[in-house]
Amino acid sequence: MDTNSFLVGMKLETIGGVKYAELSGDQVRGRFKETLSEITSASQPNPLETFLNCGSDPTAIVQFTLSFGPLKQEPKPGSEFLFYLQEFMDAQQLLQGMWRDKSHYEKPIDLLKEHGGNYRFQKGSITYAAPTLFVQLIADLIIRPVERLRVCQQRGCSHPYFFAKHRNRRYCSDECAEQSQKDFNKEWWQTQGADWRRNQRKKVP
Ligand SMILES: [Zn+2]
């Protein structure tokens, strides 16, 4: 049993809203909106899964920032922000690694102690208000049941990090499952097909 399971089901939020974000050399510069709004883990698309899968080229990083905000800058209405592309890539690799190797389950993580923010109790549910988007992403990762954190088995999948709704799922989507079956068949015919055909001919009297 994982040690963060008491957090499962907790709601997560942070505030954000980006007025503009653009590439500036090896950095992204931008500004928060004057009026900020909530970004929750229930938002569609989910911020964490988008972050893990969005890629790390400059255009993708700017696009993510426009949609969800900068990772580590405290959201303040109208304030400017600036970060290096490399910081984004490092953060992305860190969380992808946590998703893949699940090492964060070895010890319980005390969100408040490590990252600040606060809890709110409301109508029988707990909401964790994260101080930054990045902390929300970490929290979203650690509260998920560990056995459902999956990486799609289809080679070249463009959306490999996925949360399995069913225990046995190995592919992120029906498309990837189908493609994988096609690739398997093709490979089988290329490697085993000649033998099979030869054997079939032998059976004919
Ligand atoms: Zn896939």
Side-chain angles (χ1 to χ4, degrees):
M1 180 168 151
D2 69 76
T3 45
N4 287 307
S5 59
F6 70 98
L7 298 171
V8 171
M10 190 171 67
K11 293 174 182 169
L12 305 168
E13 65 177 38
T14 185
I15 51 168
V18 167
K19 192 170 179 187
Y20 75 86
E22 61 192 15
L23 200 59
S24 167
D26 56 354
Q27 294 177 306
V28 173
R29 75 168 64 244
R31 188 190 283 276
F32 285 105
K33 285 180 183 169
E34 296 298 334
T35 308
L36 300 179
S37 50
E38 281 172 5
I39 299 173
T40 75
S41 54
S43 305
Q44 286 300 330
N46 170 266
L48 173 63
E49 287 168 41
T50 307
F51 178 64
L52 294 171
N53 288 304
C54 74
S56 56
D57 62 86
T59 317
I61 296 175
V62 169
Q63 194 52 50
F64 179 88
T65 307
L66 281 167
S67 304
F68 297 102
L71 295 174
K72 297 185 180 178
Q73 283 75 10
E74 193 189 336
K76 284 185 188 145
S79 70
E80 292 186 333
F81 57 80
L82 184 69
F83 64 86
Y84 284 97
L85 294 170
Q86 191 61 49
E87 291 174 58
F88 185 97
M89 291 185 245
D90 290 347
Q92 197 180 40
Q93 276 180 13
L94 176 76
L95 265 60
Q96 287 172 341
M98 284 168 73
W99 186 285
R100 280 175 183 277
D101 69 24
K102 302 163 176 64
S103 55
H104 54 288
Y105 282 89
E106 285 160 16
K107 67 180 178 71
I109 292 178
D110 187 337
L111 285 168
L112 287 186
K113 217 183 222 171
E114 290 190 34
H115 301 291
N118 57 71
Y119 288 114
R120 217 176 47 236
F121 298 86
Q122 206 174 24
K123 293 178 193 157
S125 74
I126 310 173
T127 300
Y128 172 62
T132 63
L133 177 61
F134 187 58
V135 174
Q136 183 189 315
L137 299 180
I138 290 179
D140 194 2
L141 203 159
I142 68 171
I143 67 170
R144 295 182 188 223
V146 65
E147 70 280 5
R148 305 261 168 139
L149 305 181
R150 301 280 166 84
V151 180
C152 182
Q153 298 296 303
Q154 165 62 10
R155 271 169 289 167
C157 172
S158 61
H159 190 276
Y161 297 89
F162 74 104
F163 184 68
K165 292 195 177 80
H166 305 289
R167 197 169 271 279
N168 297 326
R169 265 204 103 101
R170 291 164 58 214
Y171 300 96
C172 73
S173 60
D174 291 344
E175 288 74 31
C176 274
E178 274 167 34
Q179 189 56 47
S180 175
Q181 190 58 45
K182 277 184 199 156
D183 290 353
F184 176 83
N185 290 347
K186 200 172 147 198
E187 235 166 70
W188 189 90
W189 275 106
Q190 279 166 359
T191 56
Q192 315 287 328
D195 285 348
W196 185 82
R197 279 191 295 267
R198 217 172 293 129
N199 289 334
Q200 287 301 101
R201 276 198 296 272
K202 273 184 210 159
K203 283 180 197 164
V204 181

